[in-house]
Amino acid sequence: MRSTSSRYGAGAQALHWLTVVLVLAAFVLSKGDGYSLYSGAADGLRRIHETLGVLVFIVVVLRLLWRLIDSAPAKQPMPRWMAAAAKVVHFALYALLIAIPATAVLGTWFEGIPVTLPGFDIAPQITKAHGLGQLIMEIHTTLGSAILWVAGVHAAAALFHHFYLRDEVFQSMAPGA
């Protein structure tokens, strides 16, 4: 379960890849805008999308807690600019993984819409402010697209390490031996 000096452990890997699957599934179910999910015909889809968003947030919290008890593998030797870029991308991913669910909840609540989960709804906990809700939902949609770009850069860098640099960066998070 724990990381070694050269590889992330099964716990960190499971949380990493679960995050990937949840984010991709939520994006695919989003239909690309913040409003089509709020039609009556999309109620089931919206519940799944919002549940996935809540699960992303929970998994991110678990990942951050896991990092407190499980250290990362030793850093691979690389140019300083590359290490700095990796830190920026990781920070951006975590910031987006927190901001996207937060903007979803705030945006829907400011719109006066409950957060819908399977079996129950969470009523708005703040005063309705339609204009602000729309703005926050537009930000949510933009951040949802941005995370795919940042994650794409992250994945491309991992593949660059694996196929071009032929170092152990990719293998440190890859499932299996």
Side-chain angles (χ1 to χ4, degrees):
M1 286 297 285
R2 306 282 302 260
S3 299
T4 66
S5 62
S6 62
R7 288 183 52 78
Y8 285 95
Q13 287 183 27
L15 293 170
H16 175 271
W17 293 108
L18 180 58
T19 303
V20 171
V21 169
L22 291 171
V23 167
L24 286 174
F27 184 81
V28 167
L29 293 176
S30 71
K31 295 188 170 187
D33 68 72
Y35 299 100
S36 61
L37 282 175
Y38 292 97
S39 68
D43 184 59
L45 201 60
R46 180 179 62 251
R47 287 183 187 278
I48 295 168
H49 176 79
E50 290 182 1
T51 300
L52 290 169
V54 169
L55 289 173
V56 165
F57 184 77
I58 291 168
V59 170
V60 169
V61 170
L62 291 174
R63 286 181 75 165
L64 293 170
L65 292 172
W66 186 256
R67 284 297 296 262
L68 294 174
I69 63 168
D70 185 34
S71 59
K75 300 289 181 200
Q76 294 286 321
M78 65 183 71
R80 192 176 298 162
W81 71 266
M82 201 178 283
K87 283 185 181 185
V88 168
V89 167
H90 282 113
F91 176 81
L93 285 169
Y94 276 104
L96 287 165
L97 288 168
I98 292 167
I100 292 168
T103 54
V105 170
L106 286 174
T108 55
W109 282 353
F110 275 125
E111 288 275 3
I113 302 169
V115 172
T116 55
L117 302 171
F120 68 97
D121 296 344
I122 304 172
Q125 303 296 309
I126 49 183
T127 305
K128 184 176 179 178
H130 180 68
L132 182 56
Q134 283 185 320
L135 173 63
I136 292 172
M137 289 309 294
E138 287 175 20
I139 292 168
H140 171 75
T141 301
T142 301
L143 295 178
S145 296
I147 197 167
L148 292 184
W149 286 100
V150 176
V153 167
H154 176 68
L159 293 172
F160 177 78
H161 276 275
H162 183 68
F163 291 110
Y164 184 75
L165 297 178
R166 299 190 186 277
D167 60 19
E168 303 297 317
V169 170
F170 178 81
Q171 286 92 346
S172 71
M173 187 53 84

